[in-house]
Amino acid sequence: MITLHHLRIGRSLFTAWLLEEVEVDYQLKVYLRNPETMRAPPELKEVHPLGKSPIIEDDGLMLTESGAITSYVLSKFDTAHKLHPNQDDLAVLIRSGVDHPVIAPFSNAEIKLHFDHISTQLGNNDYILGNEFTGADFGIAYVVSMAERLGQLDGYPKLKTYVQRCMSRPAFQRAIERAVE
Ligand SMILES: N[C@@H](CCC(=O)N[C@@H](CS)C(=O)NCC(=O)O)C(=O)O
């Protein structure tokens, strides 16, 4: 059975969602952040030297990096290709919550560039590759939801609706029930 090493609060919730979508059995190991430093506890470094979540273990294989985990899980369990029809078209986003005199002008322009692109790509579709939910939505929904939390989605009402649509999926709700206390 797959084990998901899940750090609260962080992006591994989106890996739990992925596992729920493909309806695979998994065991959840939950780690809580140090409330003062907000860093992962040392136990996560006992699993993998980087001490970052998500980490999955499956059949003797240990895998880190959300994108790599998504590819692995989809190629192994989405054999009907419901969530990864052909090639992925994942966009990469840079985000910054801190105003920095040098970085902020760069990152603000980059954020606009990428969100405009995601918004255009979404168009009037329900999901990022069309009206069907696919594996690409795990990555896009993560960055768009982070942007929403950082108050970066003003002027992008379609992206707000998109996040709500993703988060109302039954599998996302199941992931919340299991992976968020
Ligand atoms: N590139 C990695 C990033 C992993 C990562 O930085 N995870 C954060 C949680 S969102 C973490 O574990 N932070 C704990 C720490 O650095 O102490 C991925 O996409 O999986």
Side-chain angles (χ1 to χ4, degrees):
M1 190 198 300
I2 287 198
T3 299
L4 169 60
H5 297 273
H6 169 53
L7 174 68
R8 294 283 295 126
I9 300 161
R11 63 176 306 158
S12 45
L13 169 62
F14 288 72
T15 306
W17 175 29
L18 163 71
L19 295 168
E20 293 288 347
E21 289 283 357
V22 297
E23 297 183 348
V24 65
D25 237 8
Y26 65 101
Q27 181 196 6
L28 199 63
K29 287 203 177 162
V30 178
Y31 302 78
L32 299 180
R33 289 179 188 266
N34 177 317
E36 277 168 23
T37 62
M38 291 310 285
R39 301 302 304 270
E43 296 81 62
L44 205 52
K45 281 206 171 116
E46 287 166 20
V47 181
H48 185 281
L50 290 180
K52 308 270 181 213
S53 164
I55 303 166
I56 63 162
E57 290 183 76
D58 181 37
D59 246 346
L61 172 78
M62 180 175 295
L63 204 54
T64 62
E65 283 299 324
S66 312
I69 292 171
T70 301
S71 299
Y72 173 80
V73 168
L74 291 183
S75 63
K76 183 161 179 185
F77 300 104
D78 182 35
T79 46
H81 283 264
K82 286 187 184 163
L83 303 185
H84 66 308
N86 276 311
Q87 300 225 331
D88 282 355
D89 184 18
L90 292 177
V92 177
L93 283 176
I94 294 173
R95 65 185 167 83
S96 163
V98 184
D99 254 9
H100 183 284
V102 177
I103 295 172
F106 170 78
S107 65
N108 288 341
E110 287 296 304
I111 287 169
K112 181 173 173 357
L113 174 73
H114 287 81
F115 277 97
D116 284 353
H117 174 65
I118 291 176
S119 210
T120 304
Q121 180 74 26
L122 187 64
N124 289 320
N125 294 326
D126 283 352
Y127 295 105
I128 201 67
L129 295 185
N131 280 320
E132 297 299 323
F133 176 74
T134 69
D137 290 296
F138 295 111
I140 298 293
Y142 172 68
V143 290
V144 175
S145 70
M146 287 306 292
E148 186 174 36
R149 278 194 186 187
L150 294 169
Q152 299 273 2
L153 283 193
D154 290 347
Y156 295 100
K158 275 187 198 168
L159 293 187
K160 287 188 181 179
T161 310
Y162 165 72
V163 174
Q164 280 158 12
R165 183 176 302 117
C166 287
M167 293 189 170
S168 0
R169 292 181 66 82
F172 189 87
Q173 293 303 318
R174 289 199 300 275
I176 294 273
E177 274 164 32
R178 279 192 70 175
V180 179
E181 70 278 355

